[in-house]
Amino acid sequence: KAGVTQTPRYLIKTRGQQVTLSCSPISGHRSVSWYQQTPGQGLQFLFEYFSETQRNKGNFPGRFSGRQFSNSRSEMNVSTLELGDSALYLCASSLNGVPYEQYFGPGTRLTVT
Amino acid sequence: AQSVTQLDSHVSVSEGTPVLLRCNYSSSYSPSLFWYVQHPNKGLQLLLKYTSAATLVKGINGFEAEFKKSETSFHLTKPSAHMSDAAEYFCVVSDRSGTYKYIFGTGTRLKVLA
């Protein structure tokens, strides 16, 4: 089976712009989670989608949003980018979410200038 | 509530010597426990998982972990370190306590000395 894919892999944006990241989960997986990883804050949970519904949400401002499509592909959007949004954004797919294991994509490296 | 503590932020070992990365967890319900490895600028790779079957779990690349309920621990071990094991390792707990979240440890950076 193909693994989790994320596009684009690298992105450079300017402060104030918005960005959309995409994640294609492993075939048959219904849960997709998003994480932000930075050197200072480590891995932080953004949200989880299951069968097109947001099931869990982390402590991030409303500028961070996401959605999941009927084919389980997911997108994450960040509006009004700030310098602090520079991070590695990781997507993970799981058969059904907790308590099953997650499989991670390679990540999207976002740099905000 | 769930929580996970990785007791060492950095561990250094010599190549060919054993590796021990420590993880303690807290969970009100029967937990699922995972270890992931992350090499620089890469995503996380699943090393092994415990989901209430055998308490000694074998994973990829020679790693294994033992679930000890009495000690609430899930330490990761490998008999002989290889240079390619140098990476960051994350212990993760999840359970059906209602939040249905994965809780990540803060990570342990493993350095392997030649």
Side-chain angles (χ1 to χ4, degrees):
Chain A
K1 274 186 180 179
V4 178
T5 58
Q6 292 187 246
T7 57
R9 293 292 313 281
Y10 302 90
L11 207 48
I12 300 175
K13 290 286 188 179
T14 302
R15 195 169 42 183
Q17 288 185 315
Q18 75 164 15
V19 66
T20 299
L21 311 182
S22 180
C23 172
S24 292
I26 292 171
S27 177
H29 284 194
R30 295 191 291 170
S31 166
V32 174
S33 297
W34 288 90
Y35 296 86
Q36 182 195 66
Q37 187 177 31
T38 59
Q41 300 295 321
L43 262 170
Q44 294 185 280
F45 171 71
L46 280 154
F47 29 66
E48 182 209 8
Y49 286 87
F50 183 86
S51 294
E52 301 180 65
T53 300
Q54 187 180 85
R55 189 160 69 173
N56 271 307
K57 191 177 189 306
N59 297 323
F60 277 80
R63 299 185 298 107
F64 291 81
S65 63
R67 58 178 176 168
Q68 186 180 32
F69 302 96
S70 58
N71 62 359
S72 290
R73 190 178 71 84
S74 177
E75 287 183 348
M76 190 192 91
N77 185 76
V78 187
S79 62
T80 319
L81 284 165
E82 300 177 358
L83 295 178
D85 297 333
S86 294
L88 181 67
Y89 290 89
L90 293 164
C91 164
S93 83
S94 173
L95 185 64
N96 286 311
V98 171
Y100 296 91
E101 64 272 23
Q102 295 180 294
Y103 294 90
F104 284 79
T108 294
R109 171 73 64 187
L110 172 65
T111 301
V112 182
T113 62
Chain B
Q2 307 159 282
S3 68
V4 60
T5 303
Q6 291 185 243
L7 298 161
D8 306 292
S9 59
H10 292 83
V11 170
S12 290
V13 300
S14 297
E15 189 175 23
T17 64
V19 175
L20 170 63
L21 305 183
R22 299 183 294 166
C23 172
N24 285 353
Y25 71 92
S26 173
S27 175
S28 305
Y29 295 77
S30 294
S32 294
L33 293 155
F34 312 92
W35 275 100
Y36 287 86
V37 61
Q38 185 179 32
H39 289 93
N41 297 310
K42 303 281 188 184
L44 279 69
Q45 181 184 19
L46 180 67
L47 275 177
L48 48 80
K49 61 182 180 180
Y50 167 79
T51 54
S52 77
T55 57
L56 183 61
V57 181
K58 293 190 184 299
I60 61 172
N61 300 335
F63 284 95
E64 63 181 37
E66 187 171 6
F67 173 71
K68 291 187 176 180
K69 187 175 180 179
S70 60
E71 298 176 12
T72 61
S73 68
F74 190 59
H75 301 336
L76 181 70
T77 60
K78 183 174 180 178
S80 176
H82 191 272
M83 296 298 289
S84 60
D85 294 329
E88 188 150 25
Y89 293 78
F90 293 93
C91 181
V92 182
V93 63
S94 71
D95 64 30
R96 293 187 169 95
S97 62
T99 61
Y100 285 82
K101 286 184 179 178
Y102 297 93
I103 307 299
F104 281 74
T106 51
T108 297
R109 187 166 296 279
L110 176 66
K111 188 174 181 179
V112 182
L113 307 170

